[in-house]
Amino acid sequence: MEITPLGDSALTVRVHDRCKDAPEETLKEVQNVVRRLEDAHIPGVIELAPAYTTVAVFFDPICVINRAVEPDRAIEWLTQKIHEELTHGKRKRGERAVARVVEIPVCYDPEFALDLDHVAQHAQMSPKEVVDLHRTTDYHVTCIGFTPGFPYLAGLPEKLATPRRVTPRKEIPAGSVAIGGRQSGIYPLRSPGGWNVIGRTSLQLFDPKKNPPALLRAGDRLRFQAISRQEFEAWTF
């Protein structure tokens, strides 16, 4: 376990050095660290952001200093608190957190599947085989990032792994389902992007008016459900 400063109001807790050796086990350990820090209610901590192998701990420096801590020792004090909690803190007994299973409807219509033929050619499969394999796979949300609500999805079949586009697009429509390397993902907002787009969902993955604003969160299990163009048009947000 390594704890290092991340600017002047955050720390990084490194849980593992690598994720690809044991991605599911690493994800569970990262989520365990998040739960333990949430339960600890350490003064000044305002947000926890899990990633592949780390947890970012954001804090309010003024709140920490108000705990009778010298201003130049705020990071040192918080580092010690986190280390004590993760090393010696008692784990709460009770039910283990159960991962949510979220189903995402996706239309793989050619109009939305901008790069489906390219992915099929790279995988030496037919477009239908690509769609069938993509939609029948179970995924894990490893982390949220890039744009608000963007889920990085582990579990993509090796056959579908496709390098990112050499030249990114300036604009990817919101809801686009894509493949980037060995991962799949969904663009919640209209944005630039270099992943290979193979479909689109009508679900709104990020809504700043909701709490929480992101539909998905790290640790969720995700499945894609293929829908027709007519079902896509009729789907209500």
Side-chain angles (χ1 to χ4, degrees):
M1 187 76 66
E2 181 184 16
I3 305 173
T4 56
L6 180 64
D8 59 1
S9 59
L11 296 169
T12 297
V13 179
R14 182 166 297 281
V15 181
H16 263 288
D17 289 328
R18 290 157 57 95
C19 176
K20 65 180 182 179
D21 294 337
E24 191 163 344
E25 179 182 340
T26 300
L27 177 60
K28 289 179 180 178
E29 291 192 33
V30 168
Q31 291 300 309
N32 179 57
V33 168
V34 170
R35 288 194 294 271
R36 293 187 67 177
L37 293 179
E38 286 176 341
D39 292 341
H41 300 292
I42 299 174
V45 173
I46 56 178
E47 186 177 1
L48 301 171
Y52 293 103
T53 60
T54 62
V55 177
V57 182
F58 295 88
F59 64 93
D60 181 349
I62 300 302
C63 183
V64 173
I65 292 171
N66 287 340
R67 303 288 296 184
V69 178
E70 294 290 335
D72 60 350
R73 295 191 64 238
I75 289 181
E76 179 184 346
W77 180 86
L78 190 57
T79 298
Q80 182 179 351
K81 288 291 184 183
I82 293 173
H83 185 270
E84 290 175 353
E85 178 58 36
L86 296 180
T87 305
H88 306 295
K90 294 182 179 180
R91 299 186 182 186
K92 289 187 176 181
R93 295 184 178 181
E95 296 183 0
R96 296 182 61 182
V98 178
R100 297 189 308 166
V101 178
V102 183
E103 196 167 80
I104 304 293
V106 180
C107 180
Y108 295 94
D109 187 87
E111 180 183 348
F112 302 143
L114 308 178
D115 302 303
L116 180 57
D117 288 340
H118 171 69
V119 172
Q121 182 180 9
H122 184 271
Q124 298 183 337
M125 302 167 67
S126 70
K128 182 180 184 303
E129 289 174 324
V130 170
V131 170
D132 288 344
L133 185 55
H134 185 264
R135 70 177 178 82
T136 55
T137 298
D138 288 341
Y139 300 87
H140 282 95
V141 180
T142 55
C143 59
I144 303 294
F146 170 55
T147 58
F150 184 103
Y152 288 86
L153 306 176
L156 183 74
E158 186 66 29
K159 289 183 179 180
L160 299 184
T162 308
R164 301 181 187 189
R165 292 170 53 85
V166 175
T167 303
R169 291 187 173 91
K170 295 181 179 179
E171 185 175 287
I172 301 290
S176 292
V177 176
I179 292 173
R182 297 182 177 183
Q183 300 177 99
S184 193
I186 310 170
Y187 287 83
L189 307 171
R190 181 180 300 174
S191 67
W195 289 30
N196 302 283
V197 178
I198 63 170
R200 191 180 302 176
T201 180
S202 55
L203 284 184
Q204 188 171 7
L205 269 69
F206 182 80
D207 184 350
K209 297 178 182 178
K210 293 183 178 179
N211 185 23
L215 174 66
L216 301 172
R217 62 190 183 214
D220 286 346
R221 291 181 178 271
L222 185 146
R223 296 169 183 162
F224 292 113
Q225 174 195 0
I227 60 174
S228 67
R229 179 60 183 269
Q230 290 73 23
E231 290 173 310
F232 177 88
E233 297 293 348
W235 198 277
T236 56
F237 288 86

